[in-house]
Amino acid sequence: MEEKSPQAKGTGFIRRFPRRKLTTVVGVLSRGNYNIVPCLEIGEGGLQFQASEKHLKGGLVVANLFLPKAHFLAVTAEIVYIVQTDSSGRSYYGLRFKNLSFECKRQIRDYIAEKPAAEA
């Protein structure tokens, strides 16, 4: 069942799935360049990462990451929002998963369900 959650910070994009903080790295292949960047949040519908490299809104990327207590995930995703951060040139990027398998969805749901009270 889809759950509407609060609007992402000033993006105009409304999340349909709950998210959880994820302090790991994600490999992002975009326009022929592969970068390893910090992952900030993940949900069944997508994830958020921070990068100094510029990516295009609406562009397709391949994201690779490991979830704690789960397997390696490789998924195609679309960049749905970009939030400029500071003068250092780093931005937050929101991805929407395009081809997430049922098994991967279940692994993400399990990870989110384990959310400790400190993150709530």
Side-chain angles (χ1 to χ4, degrees):
M1 177 173 234
E2 294 180 0
E3 178 180 320
K4 295 225 179 211
S5 57
Q7 189 168 327
K9 303 175 221 168
T11 63
F13 178 73
I14 297 177
R15 294 186 183 141
R16 299 180 327 171
F17 302 100
R19 288 196 170 193
R20 181 176 173 193
K21 291 180 184 178
L22 179 62
T23 52
T24 188
V25 293
V26 60
V28 177
L29 175 63
S30 174
R31 297 183 292 158
N33 295 316
Y34 188 81
N35 297 294
I36 298 175
V37 296
C39 183
L40 305 172
E41 295 180 326
I42 191 165
E44 189 179 330
L47 63 82
Q48 183 184 59
F49 69 92
Q50 185 179 30
S52 55
E53 300 79 24
K54 300 300 176 203
H55 300 278
L56 300 175
K57 183 176 179 178
L60 293 180
V61 301
V62 176
N64 301 307
L65 71 145
F66 283 97
L67 277 178
K69 302 179 186 177
H71 298 286
F72 175 76
L73 304 177
V75 62
T76 303
E78 176 185 2
I79 298 174
V80 291
Y81 68 84
I82 302 169
V83 178
Q84 303 296 326
T85 56
D86 55 25
S87 60
S88 70
R90 300 197 92 167
S91 298
Y92 292 103
Y93 294 90
L95 299 182
R96 179 185 306 137
F97 296 140
K98 299 292 262 181
N99 66 339
L100 196 62
S101 70
F102 177 77
E103 180 64 28
C104 291
K105 284 181 185 180
R106 188 170 51 186
Q107 289 173 353
I108 293 170
R109 279 186 209 142
D110 291 345
Y111 175 73
I112 292 169
E114 294 173 2
K115 180 186 282 192
E119 285 185 32

